[in-house]
């Protein structure tokens, strides 16, 4: 039978004096001014948060994490979770907080809780999160008799507003914490009354019997923040100013109603084990298992504890589907509740989102609404709009089951009223969220998850790898991001795409995920052995809790291969790999390579080679390293009267054109092209075509790139079985350009290529291509008598040699000098990344979260975070609009009004289709010269967007550059002569 007593009755039953009861009953937690017009008492908010935690335990927290909390609490995990979530705001029982609102302070003062002059100025204020830790710590030490337990619990209270302070920060300014018997009794009573109300005999009864590991503490901290933010929403938790109305039973009813109205839920909830080992592949994903897919699934079954799986297999082998099958098995075996699939780019995330949607529906159609797409352009994904915005289904004839709703988009700019009075500390940017989802079906999506920093808390998520990397940065509210990962299986596709800077964060993330017991699946077609080893060591260092772990990964028996790493009983590290060669799905085939010397950005020889290559038919893919070069080659072909289908694809196309063009290329060159495949077609692209671009070309012309990326590009060549090809293209051929012979035969590279990749990796790639295509200086362009490569059989050896220690370049190429320059730059980039890593190397073995944010990054917005985890100069996105007579038009001609006014969601969609990211060289000018249009101030998706206004001639000056936008070419940038 649940205790229905009010907190006043609980206090009286504890024998507290009447004046103490009165004083505690006056302490406020939410002011009327910031809580929907109604004061909410402190004990009411603590109990609301505990009650939300109880619902989270029942319906959201993964089985694996529930088990861990049961272990550390002596089998009372649910009650202990409610206590640790609810106690978070006990520090509001101090003068520094109670004095913040004069109207709320008056009854507190009248009850006898007084204070003198308090420190003024934002930097000197005594924050209530830190005050709570200062209040609680001495009591925990005294009543638990266990400094170790108190040592890992107090940072959970001190860090609930997003940063973990050091112990030295727990020293309050004079008078801020409260002095005298009245304050001491009231503070003690707040803790004791709350503790008894949630079911414990007293504070001593709460003592944990074990410790969570630091990564588990971080995940728990994120769940505390989640519970607090939900319980802080005044539209669901109406303020109660009468303590006689505050009870844990009423809080539980409020929490259950709020949870239901918000439609929050977890994912699989105790997923059953598949009856047949291959069922996740055959029945769920509808594939006939290939040998490499079968091995990954078998490894997921055989691994004794959660661990790391690294799957390496050729392009087009079906790694992603195998990873999803492995994720189902790992989740069912180890009690995980969802999956996060991390992709290298926004463009690769969209098709993966649709694949994961289809996969999740096979478990339960209702789970469709629990799949989030995490990137800045998700608004343009038709399936996202169908599910989250109630738009018509793609190709369908109706609306999604969940109906429509008023302007869902504004959720993303809201901080859900999370921290009320803490706005004075600069922690909140927006007003509380009202009930935006009223009237929607119970199976609709939970818009709460769309809020800032919350996307990973959704049960199933697909997004850019940045979201994983953000969870490894020393930034505010990192615990929310990590909590979203800790209950899932994490899949990282195209893991080789992370450069040396991003790899620092990936390694840091693997370390924390390993310590949290999160299974991780890494996928790559071209992974250098040194990277594989580093990922294994990072994960195992997390598992073992030490900074320096090196467990040698055995040489795989062949390719494809699967490597596993986990911690065995007794604290031993295990790293195993494929002991028997696994056959690739496709037999290896010879690929002819030849040189096409050219380092002119205009690419005239490339355009000529394209015409020749498809003169008698065929589909050519041209991949170059520079947008301007791609535009120049396209213009050359177009102006020369190319007779065939011609497409240009690069990052300076606006969002709508890029999405349409990508979809069209996939339709004409993808696995389902069939009769739609043109007889003659050329696609000119930048690095966008390098990964997760499932097209099939007859011939490839590519700028030289590092060997692993070159092989990725070759992966688009003769990719699909059964494709009809002209006789001239029965053998796949690659022309390598972007390089030309220099003095003494040393290769000269495109300036852009050197800027992007560095000279050393290009020299190594040139050396490997020379072995296959013959000398760069000799022979007719496009003609080779050398042996070529066998793909995919040669892939592992080529990647290993490209990134190995042995020299491979001819004498005179100054390989060692290039190596020294490259290494120095890489070391500098690694050092730059260290500043933002979640944990410093020397702190990795620290057992608690104390001081985690000491001197941490203050990056706040997603765009700032992207700059943290992706090295390089910052860039900005702009929305292109055209000035017209009497107002403005969108890029598609949509009329916007005199001041750029936008009337509805449909116009917003069309306008946002003109979004494009400027190159870094224009960032400063854009920030100085551009601003949102005045008419956008009331539109959440637009109010912070910079407008790039093109004049009526279609151009404008931005800094020293003349900028224009062309339907075919995209954004064109020309430097103006001074």
């Amino acid at each position: 039978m649940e205790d229905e007593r009010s907190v006043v009755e609980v206090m009286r039953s504890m024998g507290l004096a009447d004046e103490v009861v009165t004083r505690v009953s006056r302490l406020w937690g939410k002011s009327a001014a910031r809580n929907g017009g109604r004061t909410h008492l402190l004990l009411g908010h603590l109990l609301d948060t505990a009650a939300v935690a109880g619902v989270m335990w029942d319906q959201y927290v993964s089985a694996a994490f529930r088990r861990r909390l049961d272990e550390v609490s002596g089998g009372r995990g649910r009650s202990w979770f409610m206590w640790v979530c609810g106690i978070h705001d006990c520090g509001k029982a101090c003068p520094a907080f109670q004095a913040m609102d004069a109207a709320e302070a008056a009854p507190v003062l009248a009850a006898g809780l007084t204070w003198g002059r308090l420190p003024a100025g934002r930097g000197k204020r005594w924050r209530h999160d830190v005050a709570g830790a200062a209040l609680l710590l001495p009591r925990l030490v005294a009543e638990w008799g266990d400094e170790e337990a108190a040592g890992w619990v107090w940072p959970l209270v001190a860090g609930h507003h997003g940063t973990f302070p050091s112990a030295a920060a727990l020293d309050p300014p004079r008078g801020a914490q409260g002095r005298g018997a009245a304050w001491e009794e009231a503070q003690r009573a707040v803790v004791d009354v709350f503790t008894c109300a949630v079911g414990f005999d007293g504070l001593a009864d709460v003592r944990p019997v074990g410790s969570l590991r630091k990564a588990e503490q971080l995940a728990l901290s994120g769940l505390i923040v989640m519970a607090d933010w939900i319980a802080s929403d005044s539209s669901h938790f109406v303020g109660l100013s009468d303590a006689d109305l505050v009870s844990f039973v009423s809080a539980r009813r409020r929490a259950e109603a709020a949870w239901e109205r918000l439609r929050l839920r977890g994912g699989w909830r105790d997923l059953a084990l598949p009856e047949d080992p291959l069922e996740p592949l055959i029945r769920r994903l509808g594939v006939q298992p290939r040998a490499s897919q079968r091995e990954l699934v078998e490894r997921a079954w055989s691994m004794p504890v959660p661990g790391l799986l690294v799957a390496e297999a050729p392009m087009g082998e079906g790694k992603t589907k195998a990873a999803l099958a492995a994720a189902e098995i790992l989740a069912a075996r180890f009690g995980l509740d969802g999956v996060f699939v991390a992709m290298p780019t926004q463009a690769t995330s969209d098709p993966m989102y649709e694949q994961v949607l289809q996969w999740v529906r096979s478990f339960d159609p209702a789970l469709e609404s629990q799949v989030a797409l995490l990137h800045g352009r998700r608004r343009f994904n038709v399936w996202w709009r169908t599910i989250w915005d109630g738009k018509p289904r793609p190709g369908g004839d109706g609306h999604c089951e969940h109906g429509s709703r008023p302007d869902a988009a504004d959720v993303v700019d809201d901080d859900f009223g999370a921290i009320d009075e803490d706005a004075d500390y600069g922690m909140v940017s927006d007003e509380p969220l009202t009930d935006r989802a009223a009237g929607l079906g119970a199976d609709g999506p939970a818009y709460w998850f769309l809020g800032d920093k919350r996307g990973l808390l959704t049960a199933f998520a697909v997004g850019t790898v940045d979201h994983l990397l953000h969870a490894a940065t020393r930034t505010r509210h990192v615990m929310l991001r990590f909590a979203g990962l800790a209950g899932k299986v994490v899949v990282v596709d195209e893991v080789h795409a992370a450069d040396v800077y991003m790899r620092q964060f990936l390694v840091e993330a693997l370390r924390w995920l390993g310590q949290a017991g999160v299974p991780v699946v890494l996928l790559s077609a071209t992974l250098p052995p040194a990277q594989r080893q580093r990922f294994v060591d990072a994960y195992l260092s997390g598992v073992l809790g030490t900074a320096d772990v090196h467990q040698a990964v055995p040489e795989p028996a062949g390719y494809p291969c699967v490597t596993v790493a986990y911690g065995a009983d007794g604290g031993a590290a295990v790293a195993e790999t494929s002991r028997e060669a696994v056959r690739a799905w496709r037999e290896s085939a010879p690929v002819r390579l030849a040189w096409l010397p050219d380092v002119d950005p205009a690419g005239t020889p490339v355009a000529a080679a394209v015409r020749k290559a498809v003169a008698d038919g065929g589909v050519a893919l041209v991949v170059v390293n520079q947008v301007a070069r791609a535009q120049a080659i396209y213009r050359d072909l177009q102006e020369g009267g190319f007779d065939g289908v011609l497409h240009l694809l690069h990052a300076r196309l606006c969002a709508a054109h890029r999405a349409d063009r990508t979809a069209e290329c996939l339709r004409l060159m993808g696995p389902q092209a069939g009769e739609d495949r043109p007889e003659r077609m050329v696609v000119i692209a930048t690095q966008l075509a390098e990964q997760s671009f499932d097209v099939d070309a007859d011939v490839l012309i590519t700028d030289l790139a590092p060997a692993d990326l070159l092989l990725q590009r070759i992966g688009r060549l003769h990719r699909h079985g059964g494709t009809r090809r002209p006789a001239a293209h029965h053998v796949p051929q690659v022309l390598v350009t972007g390089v030309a012979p220099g003095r003494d035969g040393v290769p000269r590279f495109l300036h852009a290529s050197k800027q992007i990749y560095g000279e050393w990796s290009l020299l190594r790639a040139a050396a490997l291509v020379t072995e296959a295509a013959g000398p760069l200086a000799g022979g007719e362009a496009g003609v080779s008598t050398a042996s070529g490569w066998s793909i995919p059989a040669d892939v592992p050896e080529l990647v290993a040699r490209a990134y190995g220690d042995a020299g491979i370049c001819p004498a005179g190429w100054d390989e060692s000098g290039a190596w020294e320059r490259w290494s120095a730059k890489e070391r500098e980039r690694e050092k730059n990344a260290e500043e933002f890593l979640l944990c410093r190397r020397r702190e990795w073995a620290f057992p608690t979260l104390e001081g985690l944010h000491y001197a941490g990054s203050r990056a706040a917005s997603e765009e700032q975070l992207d700059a943290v985890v992706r090295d390089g100069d910052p860039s900005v996105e702009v929305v292109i609009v055209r000035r017209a007579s009497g107002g403005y038009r969108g890029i598609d001609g949509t009329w916007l009004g005199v001041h750029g006014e936008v009337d509805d969601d449909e116009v917003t969609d069309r306008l946002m289709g003109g979004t494009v990211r400027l190159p870094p060289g224009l960032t400063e000018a854009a920030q100085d010269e551009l601003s949102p249009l005045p008419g956008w101030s009331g539109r959440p998706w637009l109010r912070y967007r910079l407008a790039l206004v093109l004049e009526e001639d279609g151009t404008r000056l931005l800094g020293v550059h003349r900028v224009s936008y062309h339907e075919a070419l995209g954004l064109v940038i020309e430097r103006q002569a001074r």
Side-chain angles (χ1 to χ4, degrees), residues 189-220:
V190 166
V191 173
D192 291 344
V193 172
F194 167 75
T195 299
C196 291
V198 296
F200 289 95
D201 294 338
L203 191 58
D205 189 32
V206 182
R207 182 177 73 86
V209 299
S211 298
L212 291 179
R213 311 185 80 191
K214 185 161 65 176
E216 295 169 328
Q217 295 168 31
L218 189 66
L220 174 57

Coordinates of all heavy atoms in Angstrom, one line a residue, residues 189-220:
A189 N 15.8 18.8 7.3 CA 14.5 18.3 7.1 C 14.1 18.0 5.7 O 13.5 17.0 5.3 CB 13.5 19.2 7.8
V190 N 14.5 18.9 4.8 CA 14.2 18.8 3.3 C 14.8 17.4 2.8 O 14.1 16.6 2.2 CB 14.8 19.9 2.5 CG1 14.8 19.5 1.0 CG2 14.1 21.2 2.7
V191 N 16.0 17.1 3.2 CA 16.6 15.8 2.8 C 15.9 14.7 3.4 O 15.6 13.7 2.7 CB 18.1 15.8 3.1 CG1 18.7 14.4 2.8 CG2 18.9 16.9 2.3
D192 N 15.6 14.7 4.7 CA 15.0 13.6 5.4 C 13.6 13.4 5.0 O 13.2 12.2 4.8 CB 15.1 13.8 6.9 CG 16.6 13.8 7.4 OD1 17.4 13.3 6.7 OD2 16.8 14.3 8.6
V193 N 12.8 14.4 4.9 CA 11.4 14.2 4.5 C 11.3 13.6 3.1 O 10.5 12.7 2.8 CB 10.7 15.6 4.6 CG1 9.3 15.5 4.0 CG2 10.6 16.1 6.0
F194 N 12.1 14.2 2.2 CA 12.1 13.7 0.8 C 12.5 12.2 0.8 O 11.9 11.3 0.2 CB 13.0 14.5 -0.1 CG 13.3 13.8 -1.4 CD1 12.3 13.7 -2.4 CD2 14.5 13.1 -1.6 CE1 12.6 13.1 -3.6 CE2 14.7 12.4 -2.8 CZ 13.8 12.4 -3.8
T195 N 13.6 11.9 1.5 CA 14.1 10.5 1.6 C 13.0 9.5 2.1 O 12.9 8.4 1.6 CB 15.4 10.5 2.4 OG1 16.3 11.3 1.8 CG2 15.9 9.1 2.5
C196 N 12.3 9.9 3.2 CA 11.3 9.1 3.7 C 10.1 9.0 2.8 O 9.5 7.9 2.7 CB 10.9 9.6 5.1 SG 12.1 9.4 6.4
A197 N 9.7 10.1 2.1 CA 8.6 10.1 1.3 C 8.7 9.1 0.1 O 7.8 8.5 -0.4 CB 8.3 11.5 0.7
V198 N 10.0 8.9 -0.4 CA 10.2 8.0 -1.5 C 10.4 6.5 -1.1 O 10.7 5.7 -1.9 CB 11.3 8.4 -2.5 CG1 11.0 9.7 -3.1 CG2 12.6 8.5 -1.7
G199 N 10.4 6.3 0.3 CA 10.3 4.9 0.7 C 11.5 4.4 1.5 O 11.6 3.2 1.8
F200 N 12.5 5.3 1.9 CA 13.6 4.9 2.7 C 13.4 5.2 4.2 O 12.6 6.2 4.5 CB 14.9 5.5 2.2 CG 15.4 5.0 0.9 CD1 15.0 5.7 -0.3 CD2 16.2 3.9 0.8 CE1 15.4 5.2 -1.5 CE2 16.6 3.4 -0.5 CZ 16.2 4.1 -1.6
D201 N 14.0 4.5 5.1 CA 13.9 4.7 6.5 C 14.6 6.0 6.9 O 14.3 6.6 7.9 CB 14.4 3.5 7.3 CG 13.6 2.2 7.1 OD1 12.4 2.4 6.7 OD2 14.2 1.1 7.3
G202 N 15.6 6.4 6.2 CA 16.4 7.6 6.5 C 17.5 7.6 5.5 O 17.8 6.7 4.7
L203 N 18.4 8.7 5.7 CA 19.5 8.9 4.7 C 20.5 7.7 4.8 O 21.0 7.3 3.8 CB 20.2 10.2 5.0 CG 21.2 10.6 4.0 CD1 20.5 10.8 2.6 CD2 21.8 12.0 4.4
A204 N 20.7 7.2 6.0 CA 21.6 6.0 6.1 C 21.2 4.8 5.3 O 22.0 4.1 4.8 CB 21.8 5.7 7.6
D205 N 19.9 4.7 5.2 CA 19.3 3.5 4.5 C 19.5 3.6 3.0 O 19.4 2.6 2.3 CB 17.8 3.5 4.8 CG 17.1 2.2 4.3 OD1 17.8 1.2 4.3 OD2 15.9 2.3 3.9
V206 N 19.9 4.8 2.5 CA 20.1 5.0 1.0 C 21.5 4.6 0.6 O 21.7 4.4 -0.6 CB 19.9 6.5 0.7 CG1 20.1 6.8 -0.8 CG2 18.5 7.0 1.1
R207 N 22.4 4.3 1.5 CA 23.8 4.1 1.2 C 23.9 2.9 0.2 O 23.4 1.8 0.4 CB 24.6 3.6 2.5 CG 26.1 3.4 2.2 CD 26.8 3.1 3.4 NE 26.5 1.7 3.9 CZ 27.2 0.6 3.5 NH1 28.1 0.7 2.6 NH2 26.8 -0.5 4.0
P208 N 24.6 3.2 -0.9 CA 24.8 2.2 -1.9 C 25.8 1.1 -1.4 O 26.7 1.4 -0.6 CB 25.4 2.9 -3.2 CG 26.0 4.2 -2.6 CD 25.2 4.5 -1.4
V209 N 25.7 -0.1 -1.9 CA 26.6 -1.2 -1.5 C 27.7 -1.4 -2.5 O 28.6 -2.2 -2.2 CB 25.8 -2.5 -1.3 CG1 24.7 -2.4 -0.3 CG2 25.2 -2.9 -2.7
G210 N 27.7 -0.6 -3.6 CA 28.8 -0.7 -4.5 C 28.9 0.6 -5.3 O 28.1 1.6 -5.0
S211 N 29.8 0.7 -6.2 CA 30.0 1.9 -7.0 C 29.7 1.7 -8.5 O 30.0 0.6 -9.0 CB 31.4 2.4 -6.8 OG 31.7 2.7 -5.5
L212 N 29.1 2.7 -9.1 CA 29.1 2.7 -10.6 C 30.4 3.2 -11.1 O 31.1 4.0 -10.5 CB 28.0 3.7 -11.0 CG 26.5 3.3 -10.8 CD1 25.6 4.4 -11.3 CD2 26.2 2.0 -11.4
R213 N 30.8 2.6 -12.3 CA 32.0 3.1 -12.9 C 31.7 4.5 -13.5 O 30.6 5.0 -13.6 CB 32.3 2.2 -14.1 CG 32.4 0.7 -13.6 CD 32.9 -0.2 -14.7 NE 34.3 -0.1 -14.8 CZ 35.0 -0.6 -15.8 NH1 34.4 -1.2 -16.9 NH2 36.3 -0.6 -15.9
K214 N 32.8 5.3 -13.7 CA 32.7 6.7 -14.1 C 31.7 6.9 -15.3 O 30.9 7.8 -15.3 CB 34.0 7.3 -14.3 CG 34.0 8.8 -14.6 CD 35.3 9.5 -14.4 CE 36.3 9.1 -15.3 NZ 37.6 9.8 -15.2
A215 N 31.9 6.1 -16.3 CA 31.0 6.2 -17.5 C 29.6 5.9 -17.1 O 28.6 6.6 -17.7 CB 31.5 5.3 -18.6
E216 N 29.3 5.0 -16.2 CA 27.9 4.7 -15.8 C 27.4 5.9 -15.0 O 26.2 6.2 -15.0 CB 27.9 3.4 -15.0 CG 28.3 2.2 -15.8 CD 28.5 1.0 -14.9 OE1 29.0 1.1 -13.8 OE2 28.2 -0.2 -15.4
Q217 N 28.3 6.5 -14.2 CA 27.9 7.7 -13.5 C 27.5 8.8 -14.4 O 26.5 9.6 -14.2 CB 29.0 8.2 -12.6 CG 29.4 7.3 -11.5 CD 30.8 7.7 -10.8 OE1 31.1 8.9 -10.8 NE2 31.5 6.7 -10.4
L218 N 28.2 9.0 -15.5 CA 27.9 10.0 -16.5 C 26.5 9.7 -17.1 O 25.7 10.6 -17.3 CB 28.9 10.0 -17.6 CG 28.8 11.2 -18.6 CD1 29.1 12.5 -17.9 CD2 29.8 11.0 -19.8
A219 N 26.2 8.4 -17.4 CA 24.9 8.1 -18.0 C 23.8 8.3 -17.0 O 22.7 8.9 -17.3 CB 24.9 6.6 -18.4
L220 N 24.1 8.0 -15.7 CA 23.1 8.3 -14.6 C 22.8 9.7 -14.5 O 21.7 10.2 -14.4 CB 23.6 7.7 -13.3 CG 22.7 8.0 -12.1 CD1 21.3 7.5 -12.3 CD2 23.3 7.3 -10.8

